[in-house]
Amino acid sequence: VPRINIFLFMAEILAMLQDSETVADITVVPESEMHAHDTDCDSDQSDDEATGDHNRLPSRILKGEGFLPNSDMQLPNPPDDDPGCSSSVSQTETRKVSGTNENVTSQIVGPIDVTLEMSNLYAEQKGKTLNLTEDELLTFYGILLISGYNTVPRRRLLWSDDCDVSNNAVKDAMRRNRFDEIMSSVHLVDNMKITADPFFKVRPLFKHLNDINNAIPIAEHVAVDEMMIEYFGRHGCKQFIRGKPIRFGYKIWSLASSSGFVHQMEPYVGSHTHLVETGLGQGPSVVLGLAEKAEVPPGVRFYHDNLFTTLSLVDEMTLRGYGSCGTMRQTQLHNVPFTAPQTFKKTPRGDAEYLVEAEKLIVRWNDNSVVTVVSNMEREFTETEVRQPKCIQDYNTHMGGVDLHDQFVSRYRVNIRSKKWWWPCFSWALNSAMKDLLSFQRLVAQTLLLRHGTKPSRQGRRSSMAVAITDATRFDNLNHWPCNTGSRYKRCKNCGGRTSFACGKCDVPLHVECFKKYHTE
């Protein structure tokens, strides 16, 4: 399915649903839009909007290629009369997984083992005994995912007996107090090994996400932009970006396809940012650094906004065999004989001027405002039917991948919060894996709870709200009558003796002689 980090949880789901001892990761790569001539003609939705209904997938997904990375398993060959299905299998490594607690692939076991070890260690350092197990940790993840689409004002209401907020799936999977214990102790690193890196607590998380995402083939068109993880507390790495949907939080440099899949991400933490320094400035260093870490092959086309674009970046991208297209600021247009923006803005809308220089096309276009774009993918100036430069049309088409990913994550964001500065990154990672498909997120959450959860042996205490509602009914002096239940004896609510009578309204066992006292005192 599109826009889903399948590697993170699909391996676990497959292991749950099959009895085979061999587990493989599956990647579905849909056809690009330009080749998807067959669409759902009887539907008003576009292919991008047709998500969540597995019975009505567009043809570009049905005709996509299937990959089984790190596995020798073979997909069955399609029948001769079905030319629309194809499969491509990578035969690089065989991995056998067996046993009840070993039914997940190394890509999900690795971080779980580290989280288990570090969480138990952190609890010991605080003088507590956690004894966190893999089943409990996976159940913990499932509850976090449920909070993204089944939200309540406070997380404790998920375990309430009140009918308006109660969640039986959560109550039957884990006790509330046990969830609080795990949440207070969950960790990814050893606190006794603090480094100078401000993000040392979540470095394993981002490294694991990048390792997973790098297994997906790089798209032909990718965008470089910044993402924001919402955070309002105090931290030296918190950023403020005016005009963004999320203005306060942690900045993440990202390389994403135009469909919203992130291939590489790197937190911005000043001098400790793990990107190479090219000497061309921060913007070009981010673009080139993400390309190197993601091992982007030559021929891929990059799109970036004016925060990253310089003429020297485009020249360097040309030398490395990459396409490059981005908007530019006026301060970066050194020795380019263009009309000043204030003067050019007075020309008729749709006017353009351009310059071809050293394998670069620089275009200035008057739209709602004056915009300047530089590209090394065109050698001559061309316009569309609506008098829009071709390079600007390409930029508008492929630039929004990172913003699209942010939109997906924000829809069903984990609603359980913590005061720890790194918790937003932890919960954001779960949403980043799920993306936009609600039905898949629900499937993962329900499966984790049903498979790994442990139903409490006895019921917990009734909530104070339920008690208050019962008391209000008990003392309202309306239509309370004793009746013979005709069933086996029960204990009187007032004196504790055996009785077969009860209050017809309250449904409480009571002796006839205890009836008045119970409803008045």
Side-chain angles (χ1 to χ4, degrees):
V1 288
R3 303 174 186 157
I4 300 176
N5 192 335
I6 298 178
F7 283 83
L8 188 58
F9 284 110
M10 184 57 79
E12 172 71 4
I13 300 302
L14 291 175
M16 297 170 187
L17 301 179
Q18 66 181 9
D19 296 328
S20 173
E21 293 185 351
T22 303
V23 179
D25 302 325
I26 295 178
T27 304
V28 179
V29 182
E31 288 189 346
S32 61
E33 293 290 348
M34 67 175 62
H35 302 299
H37 301 294
D38 301 325
T39 58
D40 289 338
C41 298
D42 59 340
S43 173
D44 291 333
Q45 292 182 322
S46 67
D47 288 349
D48 288 337
E49 297 171 338
T51 59
D53 186 357
H54 302 290
N55 298 321
R56 293 184 57 81
L57 294 176
S59 63
R60 68 185 183 88
I61 299 175
L62 297 176
K63 295 182 179 181
E65 294 184 344
F67 292 87
L68 297 179
N70 300 328
S71 173
D72 64 346
M73 295 179 61
Q74 296 285 340
L75 287 177
N77 293 326
D80 296 336
D81 58 347
D82 187 8
C85 299
S86 61
S87 63
S88 177
V89 182
S90 173
Q91 306 178 14
T92 57
E93 179 186 353
T94 302
R95 291 180 290 125
K96 294 290 184 179
V97 185
S98 61
T100 56
N101 293 327
E102 299 177 357
N103 53 4
V104 292
T105 64
S106 59
Q107 289 181 337
I108 190 171
V109 167
I112 286 183
D113 286 345
V114 172
T115 306
L116 288 174
E117 179 184 358
M118 294 297 105
S119 299
N120 288 323
L121 177 61
Y122 179 71
E124 291 179 4
Q125 293 172 351
K126 296 195 300 180
K128 300 180 181 179
T129 302
L130 183 62
N131 293 329
L132 179 62
T133 65
E134 180 179 333
D135 286 338
E136 288 181 322
L137 182 59
L138 291 174
T139 304
F140 177 77
Y141 288 157
I143 295 175
L144 292 180
L145 292 176
I146 285 179
S147 71
Y149 59 84
N150 189 357
T151 59
V152 290
R154 298 187 302 274
R155 71 168 185 261
R156 290 198 163 196
L157 291 177
L158 291 172
W159 286 268
S160 172
D161 288 333
D162 301 330
C163 60
D164 57 335
V165 293
S166 176
N167 192 308
N168 292 329
V170 173
K171 291 193 296 184
D172 292 344
M174 179 178 287
R175 286 286 196 184
R176 182 193 68 189
N177 290 345
R178 182 58 176 170
F179 181 89
D180 291 342
E181 291 176 359
I182 297 174
M183 187 164 179
S184 65
S185 299
V186 65
H187 255 65
L188 300 172
V189 295
D190 185 359
N191 270 10
M192 303 304 294
K193 299 179 181 179
I194 299 177
T195 66
D197 184 2
F199 259 43
F200 83 100
K201 278 184 175 287
V202 291
R203 280 296 176 189
L205 182 64
F206 285 100
K207 181 180 183 303
H208 177 64
L209 287 176
N210 284 329
D211 290 342
I212 293 172
N213 294 338
N214 285 340
I216 306 296
I218 301 293
E220 179 183 0
H221 302 275
V222 295
V224 176
D225 205 348
E226 67 270 9
M227 293 188 297
M228 292 289 286
I229 301 178
E230 188 177 54
Y231 180 67
F232 295 99
R234 295 184 178 181
H235 193 272
C237 296
K238 188 178 75 171
Q239 300 287 313
F240 169 75
I241 302 181
R242 190 182 305 276
K244 281 283 187 178
I246 299 176
R247 295 184 299 164
F248 294 92
Y250 304 118
K251 182 192 293 185
I252 310 294
W253 301 125
S254 304
L255 174 69
S257 66
S258 56
S259 63
F261 184 87
V262 176
H263 293 285
Q264 188 73 26
M265 62 186 73
E266 181 62 35
Y268 172 68
V269 288
S271 60
H272 294 277
T273 304
H274 292 182
L275 291 176
V276 297
E277 180 58 48
T278 61
L280 301 177
Q282 183 190 63
S285 296
V286 170
V287 176
L288 298 172
L290 291 175
E292 289 182 6
K293 296 192 70 173
E295 299 180 355
V296 179
V300 173
R301 301 185 174 189
F302 286 73
Y303 298 86
H304 31 80
D305 60 24
N306 57 24
L307 177 64
F308 307 92
T309 309
T310 63
L311 296 178
S312 58
L313 169 64
V314 178
D315 292 336
E316 182 64 25
M317 297 287 279
T318 302
L319 293 176
R320 300 192 182 195
Y322 297 135
S324 180
C325 178
T327 57
M328 290 193 66
R329 297 175 178 175
Q330 179 64 25
T331 56
Q332 296 294 336
L333 293 173
H334 305 295
N335 300 323
V336 177
F338 276 171
T339 306
Q342 295 80 3
T343 304
F344 191 72
K345 191 174 183 179
K346 299 177 182 179
T347 62
R349 182 173 179 175
D351 281 4
E353 57 181 354
Y354 63 92
L355 174 67
V356 179
E357 181 183 58
E359 299 185 353
K360 297 188 297 291
L361 173 65
I362 308 174
V363 177
R364 170 162 288 176
W365 185 52
N366 186 19
D367 191 32
N368 293 332
S369 61
V370 177
V371 58
T372 304
V373 172
V374 58
S375 173
N376 67 352
M377 295 180 285
E378 297 183 30
R379 296 295 182 268
E380 59 182 16
F381 176 77
T382 57
E383 286 187 323
T384 63
E385 296 179 356
V386 294
R387 293 191 63 196
Q388 183 184 44
K390 180 64 167 53
C391 58
I392 293 181
Q393 183 189 57
D394 293 340
Y395 176 87
N396 292 335
T397 302
H398 302 292
M399 179 56 198
V402 176
D403 292 334
L404 194 61
H405 179 273
D406 278 342
Q407 178 184 349
F408 297 155
V409 170
S410 64
R411 287 185 178 179
Y412 309 111
R413 185 168 58 92
V414 171
N415 196 45
I416 294 178
R417 301 187 180 184
S418 171
K419 293 183 179 179
K420 297 177 180 178
W421 69 264
W422 54 268
W423 179 260
C425 299
F426 185 84
S427 60
W428 176 87
L430 291 177
N431 291 119
S432 180
M434 292 296 101
K435 300 293 193 299
D436 183 39
L437 198 56
L438 175 60
S439 59
F440 180 72
Q441 181 167 336
R442 291 184 60 200
L443 173 64
V444 172
Q446 293 172 8
T447 308
L448 291 178
L449 265 60
L450 291 175
R451 179 176 175 85
H452 300 283
T454 302
K455 188 173 182 178
S457 58
R458 58 186 179 85
Q459 188 175 4
R461 294 180 299 175
R462 298 180 66 193
S463 67
S464 58
M465 184 174 295
V467 174
I469 294 174
T470 303
D471 289 345
T473 304
R474 173 182 171 185
F475 299 114
D476 63 2
N477 296 323
L478 294 174
N479 300 324
H480 293 275
W481 303 101
C483 61
N484 192 334
T485 60
S487 60
R488 59 180 296 183
Y489 289 105
K490 295 183 179 180
R491 294 292 178 180
C492 177
K493 192 69 173 179
N494 185 60
C495 67
R498 298 175 65 187
T499 180
S500 61
F501 286 85
C503 174
K505 183 176 182 179
C506 299
D507 194 22
V508 174
L510 289 169
H511 288 111
V512 175
E513 54 270 23
C514 296
F515 196 85
K516 181 178 180 181
K517 186 175 181 179
Y518 174 79
H519 289 92
T520 57
E521 297 181 2

